[in-house]
């Protein structure tokens, strides 16, 4: 008998893995500060936290002696009905997941075989290459151009060659650059017959008038991903949803994990939809603070922020002053936690999530301190 543990598939054993954010308590301890004295601006969460009405709905659910003791609805009937109210689409065009990440993975596995391709436009969300690796998919990258704008000509050229055997994955607003996918470009890609997975995780901060949702009725190969993690402030409960053609949704409902949405996430999601108008006031405040932060950052010598339609700002750092990593580390030492990247395209950049309005002056003071 051998004492060696079972071995995972070789390609999985060789993967670098996804680089998630470090928990707040761990980062605060490393800085020698209490968590409440720190600004956690590294994961684009809602800085106002869970809405009181959503918290009340969860508290009421916990008072039920049967809460958590029975399986949740595998068909997500009430949640999909709530999402239908929120989006205006029929429930048969909606499926929910344990965060949008689960649905990204599930949909890619459903549509593509090992050896097929996904097309991305870096720099973008690090989950896309991670999922390509895990699912043995080829990664076709069309780098962004000046100012991180999408290179439309290069993108369309690749789509013309590879549309039949790949999924085009785009993000609007893009993470980490904050820009929107131009509508005419999206239409051009779809008109070529490509399957497009459009990640709209931050669409509430850009405004639903910038969403491509209305194109679902025209293009059956358009798939839209969204999440409750950002706008609704329930990232820890893991809830996302997908908008797609009813035939694809029906297949995804069949092959997803039957009980993939836990009861707490379902209750919180429905409550967030029911109180979306109130949460929209938080979003309005975040957008206002984002513009104030941008105006301040652009006035600081050595920093070049990009305009953003999301709840974060990507900042280019003048190498004469610091690298992005060095500035990230200096800020961390004074309790400001931002996001930096190993991507060579982002060596001199860091991403700052928008704080609460009352935290903005503290953020600016600490940036000025380390510079």
């Amino acid at each position: 008998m051998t004492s060696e543990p079972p071995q995972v598939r070789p390609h999985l054993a060789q993967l670098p893995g996804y680089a998630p954010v470090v928990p707040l308590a761990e980062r605060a301890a490393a800085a020698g500060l209490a968590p409440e004295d720190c600004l956690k601006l590294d994961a684009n969460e809602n800085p106002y936290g869970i809405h009181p009405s959503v918290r009340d709905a969860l508290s009421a659910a916990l008072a039920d002696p049967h809460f958590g003791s029975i399986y949740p609805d595998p068909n997500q009937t009430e949640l999909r009905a709530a999402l239908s109210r929120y989006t205006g689409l029929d429930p048969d065009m909606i499926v929910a997941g344990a965060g949008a990440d689960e649905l990204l993975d599930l949909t890619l596995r459903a549509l593509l075989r090992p050896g097929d391709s996904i097309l991305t436009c870096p720099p973008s969300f690090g989950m896309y290459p991670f999922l390509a690796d895990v699912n043995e998919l080829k990664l076709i990258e069309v780098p962004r151009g000046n100012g991180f704008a999408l290179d439309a000509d290069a993108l369309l050229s690749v789509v013309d060659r590879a549309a039949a055997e790949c999924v085009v994955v785009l993000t609007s607003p893009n993470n980490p650059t904050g820009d929107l996918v131009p509508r005419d470009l999206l239409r051009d890609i779809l008109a070529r017959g490509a399957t497009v997975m459009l990640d709209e995780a931050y669409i509430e901060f850009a405004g639903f008038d910038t969403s491509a949702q209305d194109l679902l009725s025209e293009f059956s190969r358009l798939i839209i991903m969204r999440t409750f993690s950002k706008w609704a402030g329930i990232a820890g409960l893991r809830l996302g949803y997908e908008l797609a053609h009813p035939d694809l949704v029906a297949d995804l409902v069949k092959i997803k994990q039957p009980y993939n949405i836990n009861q707490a996430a379902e209750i919180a999601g429905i409550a967030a939809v029911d109180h979306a108008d109130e949460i929209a006031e938080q979003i309005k405040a975040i957008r206002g603070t984002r513009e104030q932060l941008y105006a301040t950052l652009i006035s600081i010598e050595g920093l070049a922020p990009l305009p953003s339609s999301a709840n974060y700002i990507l900042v280019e750092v003048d190498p004469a002053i610091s690298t992005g990593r060095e500035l990230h580390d200096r800020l961390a030492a004074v309790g400001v936690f931002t996001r930096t990247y190993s991507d060579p395209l982002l060596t001199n950049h860091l991403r700052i999530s928008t704080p609460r309005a009352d935290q903005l002056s503290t953020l600016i003071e600490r940036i000025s301190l380390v510079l």
Side-chain angles (χ1 to χ4, degrees), residues 73-87:
D73 175 11
N75 291 316
Q76 310 167 345
T77 305
E78 292 186 20
L79 177 58
R80 290 166 76 187
L83 287 167
S84 177
R85 297 194 301 272
Y86 186 61
T87 63

Side-chain angles (χ1 to χ4, degrees), residues 11-23 42-45 100-102 104 124-134 171 175-176 199 201-202 230 238 339-343 351:
H11 91 277
L12 293 174
Q14 298 172 8
L15 297 184
Y18 180 71
V21 295
V22 178
D42 57 358
N44 304 334
E45 297 120 333
D101 291 347
E102 182 198 18
L104 287 165
S124 196
F125 186 28
M127 185 59 67
Y128 310 145
F130 170 77
L131 291 175
D133 285 344
V134 168
T171 315
N175 177 14
D199 190 341
Y202 299 95
K230 312 304 180 181
R238 311 306 300 128
R339 188 70 187 257
T340 189
Y341 300 90
S342 59
D343 186 334
R351 190 193 67 197

Side-chain angles (χ1 to χ4, degrees), residues 238-320:
R238 311 306 300 128
L239 183 62
Y241 63 99
E242 177 173 333
L243 308 175
H245 190 277
D247 290 351
L248 175 57
V249 168
D251 285 333
L252 294 175
V253 170
K254 285 191 299 184
I255 66 173
K256 72 175 181 61
Q257 290 292 324
Y259 310 112
N260 62 330
I261 305 300
N262 69 73
Q263 285 182 297
E266 181 177 25
I267 288 167
I270 293 171
V273 167
D274 289 343
H275 297 276
D277 288 347
E278 298 166 32
I279 299 175
E281 292 302 310
Q282 293 180 345
I283 295 170
K284 181 179 178 181
I286 291 168
R287 293 172 70 172
T289 305
R290 178 193 69 202
E291 296 311 307
Q292 290 180 274
L293 176 59
Y294 175 82
T296 303
L297 291 173
I298 205 169
S299 71
I300 298 175
E301 185 176 357
L303 300 183
L306 271 68
S308 174
S309 294
N311 64 333
Y312 50 82
I313 296 176
L314 185 68
V315 183
E316 183 177 9
V317 184
D318 187 340

